């Protein structure tokens, strides 16, 4: 008989009260289920969920037979292998019956439920849970957590929702580091901290109401404000730590990386609570970290919890003082998630209005010094030793000077023993400095398109002489009432090193090469080298994109960066950092706007037309799909760059480009033509095209050394070859111009020569050609590809002087050159195997191995 036939017999016997027939039918049903692992269609029936409602004298003999049959399973074959149905059947049949065999199955089922993200695939669990709740039986915390997540996901029936309303303790779901610590801090059922945790679960609105805040203050007072503050800060620091109870994720592969959906609400309340407690130096810092942790993206999902991130911003907005404002300013430069970025912007605008200042001025005033007493340095005496805090580039370092005057990296034992809190604060300051330096560097880089002008007096105070921002501003070029100046030897100086002392009301702007004569730009590059100034980003060496004849011919659009294949998620992240608004292309029947950068200071909107690589929606012969589990394309194909008035209707196109871009006209609006490129201000055109060039240069599959086979089905092989070894774009041309000056200074200068678009490196085994655009390597004279994949650490800034920071590919090129110039010293087997003369098949295998094995490459090329 089949499982269904046994099930029908069981149902008939139970309804008739025929215990013997029921036992026989149950035995057959469970026997077949355990042998085949199939039975969900039976156990999903509504009558099966009501097994626990049968009289105990009917259920007991049937339950005993099911337990006996399950006990016959071989020791090496667990319940997970045969499915959940028999265990669920047993727990329902034995509900309320005292028997160790029954309890073991019930405990196993509950543990299985507690390890799940959601449990809508476990038949009968809802019935078991509601029966337990009705009987007043305790629900294990992990099981309650899974039930809550299931209910929030919309997978639970009404009976489960009703039962959950009666179960309020524990108020937080177990399994996360911060929630476990919060529950562990409860001293008893009458502890006000427990009442406060329950109150946090009511934080269901975007902002706290007056009534919510009043109750929170009263409960915090009862629990002790200092105790609550210390607990709140400590708990917020643990948000995002690995789960204490890892989940058996099943199809939810990212479940362990997400915030618990139930805990997100009390976590929002905890952030609000932090803003109501006595001030502490760590509160603002912790809330800022909470915002960034909550916005950390999970593949296929997106930000972990925007609502928690927004709660952190709301909390910061309610805290007075420099520290909270500094965190908001830092977040304004770092947050790319649109909703949270808009919230940060609105908070800063409100602060600016209250102070009677502009938004940019508030951001500048908000930058703290983090203990720096002069530009880029501080000396903090602690006992007989001195802590030395210094800034180099966009990194801060902490070293120590002993009583003997010796400088060391480690904390002296006496300082560690006598001043632990001060040492902890100094280390925290180093971390804060790193984050703020990166944020301020990005903010200054965006000022080219902001059309910002400072009065000399305020500029000097807020930028040039600011202990933190000054480390960046002093490495940039500026114009003072139209005169270009740089900072060297303690003063602003012109090209001929004449000191300049402007009046307090003189206008200061960032210098940009698009506004200057090429000869002047070249002279400033030499000036930077002469004074050994390394700029925080490209300025004097910044690429200038002039209108081409092809763009004059097309008139209203540029095809300069069309027909590229980009990694979509890398492009998406980079676009957000550069201030572009973009949405991921999904393999669905939908339309989306292009990537857009709005330029309100110019009344313009720039668009980069892109669409998903439609060929990627299938699978190749190996079964490898080229879309993510969430359905987003792995790669994009690129098209035109256009400009429109800021308020023009948006363009839309199908996600995979099946339908071209068309302007979406609503409410009777008229179509708006794209603006002629000749009418776009040269600086705007150059900066927008530079962004797009950056997107292509970083995200193109042509830059990936593991793609020499052209990717899935080899369909991108031609593109990879043409990009990876083709003509140099503007960025690579700038890199070549720099290398013309750098190569003679290299320790391996006698082995290096620039030849067109390649850096030639003469080793003892071979001569190597390193492409200046992609960093890919060919062996001469056969032009055989050499695959070297550097580790992430291998892309750090090389030692020696460089005129600007941040050129990832330049670092790779110099590092590969250093490695290959000494090719007889190479010990890595995957590289050595490619240097030997071999057949095509064997060489291809070596390259595949190399592509999967990142290599350490030297950093001492200069």
């Amino acid at each position: 008989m089949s499982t269904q036939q046994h099930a029908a017999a069981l149902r008939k016997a139970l309804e008739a009260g025929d215990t013997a027939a029921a036992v026989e039918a149950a035995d057959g049903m469970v026997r077949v289920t355990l042998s085949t692992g199939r039975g969900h269609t039976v156990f999903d029936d509504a009558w099966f969920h009501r097994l626990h409602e049968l009289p105990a004298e009917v259920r007991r003999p049937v339950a005993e037979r099911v337990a006996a049959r399950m006990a016959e399973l071989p020791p090496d074959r667990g319940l997970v292998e045969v499915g959940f149905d028999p265990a669920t059947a047993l727990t329902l049949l034995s509900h309320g019956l005292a028997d160790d065999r029954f309890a073991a199955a019930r405990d196993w089922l509950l543990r299985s439920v507690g390890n799940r993200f959601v449990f809508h695939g476990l038949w009968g669990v809802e019935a078991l849970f509601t029966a337990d709740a009705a009987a007043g039986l305790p629900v294990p915390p992990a099981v309650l957590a899974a039930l809550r997540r299931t209910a929030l996901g919309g997978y639970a029936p009404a009976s489960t929702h009703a039962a959950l309303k009666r179960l309020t303790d524990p108020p937080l779901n177990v399994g996360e580091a911060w929630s476990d610590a919060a529950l562990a801090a409860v001293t008893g059922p009458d502890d006000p901290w427990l009442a406060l945790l329950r109150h946090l679960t009511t934080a269901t609105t975007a902002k706290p109401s007056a009534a919510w805040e009043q109750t929170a203050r009263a409960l915090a007072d009862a629990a002790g404000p200092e105790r609550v503050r210390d607990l709140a800060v400590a708990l917020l620091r643990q948000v995002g730590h690995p789960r204490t109870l890892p989940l058996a994720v099943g199809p939810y592969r990212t479940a362990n990386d997400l915030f618990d959906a139930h805990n997100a609400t009390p976590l929002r309340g905890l952030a609000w609570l932090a803003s109501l407690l006595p001030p502490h130096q760590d509160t603002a810092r912790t809330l800022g970290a909470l915002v960034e942790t909550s916005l950390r993206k999970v593949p296929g999902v997106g930000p972990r919890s925007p609502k928690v991130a927004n709660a952190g911003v709301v909390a910061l907005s309610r805290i007075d003082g420099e520290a909270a404002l500094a965190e908001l300013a830092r977040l304004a430069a770092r947050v790319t998630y649109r909703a949270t970025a808009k919230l940060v912007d609105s908070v800063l605008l409100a602060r600016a209005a209250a102070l009677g200042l502009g938004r940019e001025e508030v951001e500048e005033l908000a930058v703290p010094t983090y203990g720096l007493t002069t530009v880029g340095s501080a000396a903090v005496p602690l006992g007989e030793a001195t802590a030395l805090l210094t800034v180099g580039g966009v990194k801060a370092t902490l070293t120590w000077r002993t009583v003997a005057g010796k400088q060391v990296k480690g904390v002296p034992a006496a300082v560690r023993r006598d001043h632990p809190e001060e040492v902890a604060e100094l280390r925290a300051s180093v971390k804060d400095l790193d984050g703020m330096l990166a944020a301020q560097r990005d903010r200054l880089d965006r000022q080219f398109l902001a059309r910002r002008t400072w009065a000399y007096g305020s500029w000097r105070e807020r930028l040039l002489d600011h202990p933190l921002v000054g480390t960046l501003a002093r490495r940039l070029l500026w114009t003072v009432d139209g005169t270009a100046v740089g900072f060297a030897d303690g003063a602003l100086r012109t090209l001929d090193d004449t000191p300049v002392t402007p009046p307090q009301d003189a206008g200061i702007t960032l210098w940009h090469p698009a506004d200057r004569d090429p000869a002047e730009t070249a002279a400033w590059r030499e000036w930077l080298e002469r004074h050994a100034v390394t700029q925080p980003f490209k300025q004097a060496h910044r690429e200038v994109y002039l209108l081409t004849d092809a763009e004059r011919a097309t008139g209203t659009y540029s095809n300069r960066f069309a027909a590229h294949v980009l990694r979509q998620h890398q492009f998406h992240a980079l676009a957000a950092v550069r201030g572009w608004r973009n949405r991921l292309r999904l393999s669905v029947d939908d339309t989306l706007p292009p990537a857009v950068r709005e330029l309100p200071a110019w009344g313009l909107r720039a668009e980069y037309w892109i669409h998903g690589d439609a060929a990627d929606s299938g699978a190749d012969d190996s079964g490898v799909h080229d879309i993510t589990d969430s359905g987003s394309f792995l790669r994009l194909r690129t098209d035109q760059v256009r400009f429109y008035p800021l308020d023009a209707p948006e363009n839309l196109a199908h996600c995979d480009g099946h339908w071209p871009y068309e302007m979406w006209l609503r409410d009777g609006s008229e179509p708006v033509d794209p603006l002629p490129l000749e009418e776009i201000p040269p600086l705007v055109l150059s900066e927008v095209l530079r962004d797009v060039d950056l997107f292509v240069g970083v995200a193109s599959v042509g830059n990936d050394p593991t793609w020499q086979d052209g990717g899935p089905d080899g369909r991108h092989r031609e593109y990879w070859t043409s990009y990876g070894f083709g003509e140099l774009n503007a960025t690579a041309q700038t890199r070549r111009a720099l290398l013309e000056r750098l190569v003679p200074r290299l320790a391996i200068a006698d082995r290096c020569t620039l030849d067109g678009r390649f850096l030639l490196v003469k080793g003892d085994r071979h001569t190597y050609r390193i492409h200046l655009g992609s960093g890919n390597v060919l062996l001469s004279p056969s032009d055989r590809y050499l695959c070297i994949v550097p580790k992430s650490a291998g892309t750090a800034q090389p030692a020696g002087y460089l005129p600007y920071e941040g050129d990832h590919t330049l670092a790779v090129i110099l590092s590969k050159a250093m490695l290959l110039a000494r090719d007889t010293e190479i010990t890595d087997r995957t590289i050595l195997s490619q240097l030997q003369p071999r057949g095509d098949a064997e060489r291809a295998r070596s390259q595949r191995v190399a592509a999967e094995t990142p290599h350490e490459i030297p950093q001492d090329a200069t």
Side-chain angles (χ1 to χ4, degrees):
M1 293 176 62
S2 67
T3 307
Q4 286 79 7
Q5 290 172 324
H6 283 301
L10 174 62
R11 179 177 184 178
K12 183 177 180 180
L14 290 173
E15 290 175 346
D18 188 342
T19 303
V23 170
E24 182 178 353
D27 179 60
M29 184 179 65
V30 173
R31 173 171 44 80
V32 173
T33 301
L34 293 177
S35 63
T36 64
R38 299 172 182 173
H40 290 171
T41 56
V42 176
F43 295 128
D44 193 30
D45 289 344
W47 69 269
F48 174 76
H49 291 186
R50 296 197 299 272
L51 287 177
H52 68 281
E53 299 174 358
L54 295 171
E57 62 271 15
V58 175
R59 288 187 284 114
R60 179 177 287 279
V62 180
E64 289 175 346
R65 191 67 191 95
V66 174
R69 177 62 70 180
M70 292 174 62
E72 296 173 3
L73 283 173
D76 60 345
R77 191 170 181 221
L79 290 176
V80 173
E81 185 180 347
V82 299
F84 293 91
D85 297 320
T88 307
L90 181 57
T91 54
L92 290 172
L93 285 165
S94 63
H95 196 272
L97 303 178
D99 192 303
D100 290 343
R101 295 171 298 172
F102 305 156
R106 182 179 183 278
D107 290 345
W108 178 89
L109 182 64
L110 290 176
R111 286 197 306 274
S112 299
V113 172
N115 287 336
R116 295 277 161 165
F117 178 57
V118 293
F119 65 91
H120 58 281
L122 303 184
W123 315 113
V125 171
E126 294 92 344
L128 170 64
F129 167 64
T130 52
D132 280 0
L137 295 176
V139 179
V143 176
L144 180 58
L147 291 165
R148 285 169 170 167
R149 290 191 296 268
T150 302
L152 286 171
Y155 300 116
S159 57
T160 300
H161 285 277
L164 282 172
K165 290 182 179 179
R166 299 192 296 270
L167 295 172
T168 57
D169 286 324
L172 310 180
N173 274 1
V174 298
E176 291 187 308
W178 80 270
S179 62
D180 288 357
L183 294 172
V186 176
T187 59
D190 298 326
D191 187 353
W193 173 246
L194 177 59
L196 188 53
L197 291 181
R198 291 175 180 148
H199 180 61
L200 296 182
T201 65
T202 66
T204 56
T205 56
K207 295 181 180 180
S209 65
W212 190 95
E213 182 177 330
Q214 183 178 4
T215 301
R217 288 184 185 276
L219 291 172
D221 288 342
E226 301 292 335
R227 175 199 176 200
V228 172
R229 182 200 62 201
D230 293 345
L231 273 172
V233 171
L235 295 175
L236 290 172
R237 284 175 175 169
Q238 296 184 60
V239 174
H241 287 191
R243 285 186 60 87
T244 56
L245 177 61
L247 300 173
V249 295
Y252 304 96
R253 299 179 184 177
T254 58
N256 283 306
D257 299 321
L258 299 171
F259 288 177
D260 189 292
H262 172 80
N263 284 350
T265 295
L267 183 54
R268 173 163 57 186
L270 185 64
W272 294 347
L273 178 66
S275 67
L276 307 177
L277 300 170
H280 188 275
Q281 61 186 8
D282 286 339
T283 301
R285 176 187 295 145
T286 304
L287 287 170
L290 175 70
V291 173
E292 293 190 287
T293 298
S294 303
L295 292 179
R296 192 164 298 151
K297 292 185 177 180
V298 176
V301 177
R304 282 170 161 177
S305 182
K307 82 174 188 179
V308 173
N310 292 348
V313 175
V314 169
L316 285 169
S317 72
R318 298 162 63 85
I319 299 176
D320 293 327
E322 178 184 292
L325 191 57
E327 282 299 319
L328 288 167
R330 186 181 66 83
L331 292 172
R334 301 291 287 175
V335 169
T336 59
Y337 183 69
R338 192 177 184 191
T340 305
K342 288 179 66 176
L343 182 59
V344 173
D345 188 63
S346 65
V347 169
L348 286 174
L349 285 173
R351 289 283 182 98
L355 296 172
L357 299 172
R359 154 71 190 275
E360 295 83 1
E361 292 179 289
V362 169
E363 280 195 67
E364 290 167 358
L365 291 171
V367 181
T369 64
Y370 295 110
L372 298 175
T373 52
T374 60
V375 176
S377 65
V380 183
L382 289 178
E384 295 183 346
T386 301
L388 304 175
L389 191 60
T390 56
V391 175
V394 288
K395 287 289 183 182
T397 57
L398 179 63
T399 56
W400 299 85
R401 187 169 58 234
T402 66
V403 66
K406 183 180 179 180
Q407 191 164 327
V408 295
K409 292 184 178 180
V411 184
V415 174
R416 189 166 53 247
R417 181 189 66 241
D418 299 335
H419 305 278
E421 294 183 0
E422 292 89 339
V423 171
E425 178 59 26
L426 282 168
R427 285 173 171 165
S429 294
V430 170
K431 186 175 180 180
D432 291 345
L433 270 167
D434 288 347
M436 183 59 81
L437 280 165
Q440 293 303 311
R441 176 200 60 202
D442 295 342
R443 185 179 69 83
L444 286 170
D445 197 5
R446 289 197 293 268
Q447 296 306 308
F448 291 114
L449 287 174
R451 308 186 82 172
R452 183 77 190 281
T453 299
W454 294 263
Y456 173 74
S458 58
W459 170 82
R460 179 116 203 179
E461 176 187 356
R462 299 174 191 171
L463 278 77
L464 195 71
D465 293 337
H466 188 279
L468 185 147
V469 184
T471 63
L472 304 170
R474 293 187 176 196
R475 295 187 285 139
L476 294 173
L477 301 178
W478 305 86
T479 59
V480 181
D481 286 342
T483 300
V485 296
F487 188 88
D489 300 326
L492 291 174
R493 300 180 183 276
T494 61
L495 260 175
D496 61 3
D497 283 337
T498 302
V500 175
T501 306
Q504 292 295 303
D505 59 351
I508 306 288
T509 59
L510 263 175
W511 181 95
H512 193 286
D515 302 326
R516 322 303 290 197
D517 183 87
E520 180 188 342
T521 298
W524 276 113
R525 291 177 180 180
E526 293 179 0
W527 186 92
L528 292 172
E529 291 183 31
R530 187 167 70 250
H531 291 283
V533 175
T534 298
Q535 298 198 290
F537 49 80
K538 285 185 182 179
Q539 187 188 25
H541 292 77
R542 204 173 189 87
E543 299 80 15
V544 176
Y545 296 78
L546 303 175
L547 210 58
T548 64
D549 291 339
E551 288 162 343
R552 291 189 179 91
T554 56
T556 58
Y557 61 90
S558 170
N559 272 328
R560 197 185 305 199
F561 301 105
H564 286 281
V565 182
L566 311 184
R567 292 178 290 267
Q568 172 168 215
H569 294 80
Q570 190 171 14
F571 164 79
H572 182 69
L574 187 58
V577 170
R578 296 298 302 168
W580 289 69
R581 176 163 44 86
N582 180 58
R583 293 171 62 185
L584 288 173
R585 267 61 184 168
L586 302 177
S587 182
V588 295
D589 188 13
D590 196 7
T591 59
L592 288 176
V596 169
R597 182 166 185 181
E598 295 177 343
L599 306 167
W602 305 85
L604 296 173
R605 182 182 81 215
E607 295 185 353
Y608 190 24
W609 288 8
I610 55 175
H611 57 264
D613 187 0
D616 289 346
S617 59
D620 61 17
D621 292 338
S622 65
V624 178
H625 287 264
D626 286 344
I627 57 174
T628 67
D629 291 339
S630 62
S632 60
F633 289 105
L634 287 177
R635 282 169 284 281
L636 301 172
R637 291 185 181 271
T638 67
D639 205 332
Q640 303 172 4
V641 175
R642 294 189 176 207
F643 292 85
Y644 289 87
L646 187 61
D647 57 354
E650 67 179 353
N651 289 298
L652 295 175
H654 195 272
C655 287
D656 65 5
H658 183 69
W659 302 326
Y661 279 101
E662 292 182 351
M663 190 163 282
W664 186 26
L665 304 177
R666 294 180 294 176
D667 304 324
S669 58
E670 295 293 327
V672 177
D673 293 330
L675 296 171
L677 296 180
E678 290 185 330
E679 295 181 8
I680 305 302
L683 188 148
V684 174
L685 179 70
S686 183
E687 284 297 296
V688 168
L689 293 181
R690 182 178 185 271
D691 274 355
V692 177
D693 197 356
L694 177 67
F695 302 155
V696 172
V698 173
S700 171
V701 299
N703 280 329
D704 190 338
T706 69
W707 269 62
Q708 73 271 16
D709 60 356
D713 294 332
R715 60 180 175 266
H716 298 304
R717 184 181 293 111
E718 183 178 348
Y719 170 75
W720 184 86
T721 302
S722 64
Y723 183 90
F725 299 103
E727 295 300 321
L728 302 182
N729 60 12
T731 301
Q733 290 171 4
T734 300
R735 190 176 297 131
R736 190 190 193 287
L738 175 60
L739 284 170
E740 287 177 347
R741 303 179 67 85
L742 285 181
V743 165
R745 308 173 191 173
L746 297 178
I748 54 173
D750 59 328
R751 290 176 173 259
C752 296
T753 308
L754 283 166
D755 180 21
R757 54 184 184 271
F758 293 93
L759 174 64
L760 268 59
V761 180
K762 190 177 185 310
D764 293 319
R765 297 174 182 269
H766 298 277
T767 296
Y768 308 91
R769 299 202 301 157
I770 307 176
H771 190 258
L772 301 180
S774 65
N776 291 334
V777 183
L778 296 173
L779 295 174
S780 292
S782 62
D783 278 353
R784 179 155 51 93
Y785 175 66
L786 175 62
C787 184
I788 303 176
V789 183
K791 290 184 178 180
S792 57
T795 59
Q797 194 82 351
Y801 171 76
L802 290 177
Y804 53 81
E805 297 169 345
D807 191 335
H808 163 100
T809 305
L810 176 63
V812 169
I813 289 171
L814 291 174
S815 299
K816 287 183 177 181
M818 189 66 187
L819 174 76
L820 297 172
R822 302 167 181 168
D823 57 1
T824 56
E825 300 176 16
I826 294 174
T827 58
D828 190 288
R829 292 182 179 179
T830 57
I831 298 178
L832 287 174
S833 65
Q834 297 177 78
L835 299 181
Q836 305 300 325
R838 303 204 171 196
D840 292 342
E842 193 171 358
R843 183 164 54 250
R845 185 186 63 80
S846 298
Q847 290 176 346
R848 282 197 300 273
V849 173
E852 297 168 359
T853 312
H855 308 288
E856 294 284 1
I857 51 182
Q859 294 298 309
D860 57 345
T862 55

